[in-house]
Amino acid sequence: MKALIVDEGGRVAERLHPALEQEGYVVESAQARGEALWLAGESDVDVVVVCSSRPGVHDVPTIAALREEGESAPILVMARRGESADLVDVLDAGADDVVTSPVPFAEVAARLRALTRRAPHLVEDELRVGTLRLDRAARV
């Protein structure tokens, strides 16, 4: 299994990287959105972990960009804190799960196992048939 850690500060990745390797993951780390997009595009990743001091600020554009580039791997966001609206924005941007830290690594590992247990299945937000358009995200 291959994991991509996106951590702009790099502090969480320093601890998470070796812990994931001990779990058997091959781990890549990125400290910027562009680097994360490049790494995700260069190799098939099985799971993406986005580390955040506050969800929504940098995560929503990063997650949305990963999804727009066709990344179908499950995305787990590890957030230090966050308002409910921020967590909703992160999930609506394409994240599959959010965990608020501090959290024991055993729980993070279990969440990653749960996310990678099934094959990814992304459903397009917009469906078109002729001139009929259904936007499931906006519900119109």
Side-chain angles (χ1 to χ4, degrees), residues 44-126:
D44 291 331
V45 295
D46 297 298
V47 67
V48 178
V49 180
V50 178
C51 306
S52 170
S53 58
R54 183 173 157 250
V57 176
H58 302 288
D59 303 334
V60 169
T62 298
I63 294 165
L66 283 165
R67 293 300 188 213
E68 287 170 10
E69 292 294 318
E71 183 56 59
S72 61
I75 298 175
L76 170 68
V77 175
M78 293 181 63
R80 276 200 156 166
R81 61 183 188 273
E83 301 290 321
S84 179
D86 292 333
L87 301 178
V88 168
D89 289 344
V90 166
L91 290 166
D92 284 345
D96 296 284
D97 193 8
V98 179
V99 63
T100 305
S101 58
V103 60
F105 178 74
E107 182 179 335
V108 172
R111 286 174 182 266
L112 292 175
R113 285 192 302 273
L115 287 172
T116 58
R117 196 173 288 143
R118 292 168 195 83
H121 182 325
L122 292 179
V123 177
E124 295 293 322
D125 284 340
E126 185 175 285

Side-chain angles (χ1 to χ4, degrees), residues 2 4 33-45 48 66 69-71:
K2 188 166 195 173
L4 171 61
R33 181 181 325 145
E35 185 181 10
L37 292 171
W38 183 80
L39 286 171
E42 284 296 304
S43 60
D44 291 331
V45 295
V48 178
L66 283 165
E69 292 294 318
E71 183 56 59

